[in-house]
Amino acid sequence: MSQPYKRYLQEILIDSETLQNRVVELAASINEDYADTRKLLLVCILKGGVMFLADLVRHITVPHSIDFMAISSYGDGVRESSGRVRIDMDLRQDIADKHILIVEDIIDSGHTMQYILSLLETRQPASIRICTLLSKPSRRLVPVHLDYVGFEIPDKFVFGYGLDLDELYRNLPFVGVCKPDMQVGDDC
Ligand code: IMP
Ligand code: MG
């Protein structure tokens, strides 16, 4: 099949144009809120946040630096976050006295973000805010205050635009819903 992802795609939830328009809106809010801020550091959570970050920063006019952190949750199965979170790659720089804007792909149960926040808060940044492309409010198990949210979405497993389907299809320019109970086989 020339486009193997189509086997798994139930529907396109957010098309490319809608994503790009919303990214521009989010960047405008960030530019306004951080207009007088020095030492702004965008912390991208790998790997899911990378597409969003790359598009977002192209519209951010406030001087800022970027850094990356890789986090994974492990345990109960691939489509559920277990609450057990592990840091795979830490930031390269000291964040003390910096204004931190975390850039994440999706907040589901909230466990991952709660972990990231509690970790970064110990390092005495000047402030921490969260910018997430997607949020599934109905799935939340721990409360997390979100400062910038691209889209609130229903309780469906989505992929594309940075989000993976068993590590594949992060490159798709849209956010699609995965057909229920589909497993990505070795054939693609
Ligand atoms: P949380 O800890 O339950 O909030 O899970 C957050 C992480 O789970 C995200 O950073 C994603 O890596 C992953 N995740 C949650 N929902 C989805 C989804 O619908 N598609 C792809 N990844 C997801
Ligand atoms: Mg993630």
Side-chain angles (χ1 to χ4, degrees):
M1 194 188 291
S2 60
Q3 293 177 301
Y5 73 84
K6 288 189 173 171
R7 276 181 64 189
Y8 307 101
L9 183 68
Q10 185 171 61
E11 57 170 325
I12 292 179
L13 187 65
I14 311 168
D15 66 25
S16 173
E17 190 184 348
T18 308
L19 282 169
Q20 295 303 325
N21 289 341
R22 186 68 185 129
V23 166
V24 170
E25 288 176 1
L26 291 170
S29 300
I30 292 165
N31 289 334
E32 199 177 317
D33 296 349
Y34 287 97
D36 302 318
T37 304
R38 296 178 60 220
K39 296 190 188 173
L40 174 60
L41 172 65
L42 270 57
V43 169
C44 175
I45 309 302
L46 296 174
K47 305 171 217 168
V50 73
M51 301 287 166
F52 180 37
L53 176 91
D55 284 343
L56 188 69
V57 292
R58 280 181 260 210
H59 301 284
I60 293 186
T61 51
V62 185
H64 63 277
S65 52
I66 62 177
D67 204 346
F68 297 91
M69 194 173 200
I71 305 283
S72 55
S73 54
Y74 57 101
D76 321 327
V78 288
R79 306 268 166 95
E80 296 281 327
S81 163
S82 59
R84 283 173 291 166
V85 180
R86 182 182 65 206
I87 178 162
D88 291 331
M89 189 188 88
D90 205 344
L91 298 171
R92 293 294 160 95
Q93 53 185 285
D94 186 8
I95 63 167
D97 301 323
K98 292 179 183 157
H99 292 275
I100 305 302
L101 181 60
I102 300 172
V103 178
E104 173 64 303
D105 54 354
I106 187 164
I107 312 289
D108 188 29
S109 69
H111 283 304
T112 306
M113 192 49 70
Q114 186 190 51
Y115 174 85
I116 294 167
L117 276 178
S118 61
L119 180 71
L120 296 188
E121 273 162 4
T122 64
R123 301 179 185 178
Q124 274 97 43
S127 67
I128 305 185
R129 285 184 187 164
I130 299 169
C131 177
T132 185
L133 178 72
L134 306 174
S135 172
K136 293 182 191 169
S138 65
R139 296 261 305 167
R140 206 74 87 244
L141 295 176
V142 291
V144 183
H145 175 77
L146 303 176
D147 300 280
Y148 307 94
V149 178
F151 302 88
E152 291 196 341
I153 63 168
D155 178 11
K156 291 181 175 170
F157 195 85
V158 293
F159 66 105
Y161 198 67
L163 294 112
D164 70 302
L165 192 55
D166 301 344
E167 288 299 328
L168 297 173
Y169 310 128
R170 295 185 193 274
N171 59 311
L172 296 173
F174 54 80
V175 173
V177 176
C178 182
K179 287 179 187 165
D181 304 321
M182 282 293 277
Q183 298 293 329
V184 180
D186 295 333
D187 54 335
C188 54

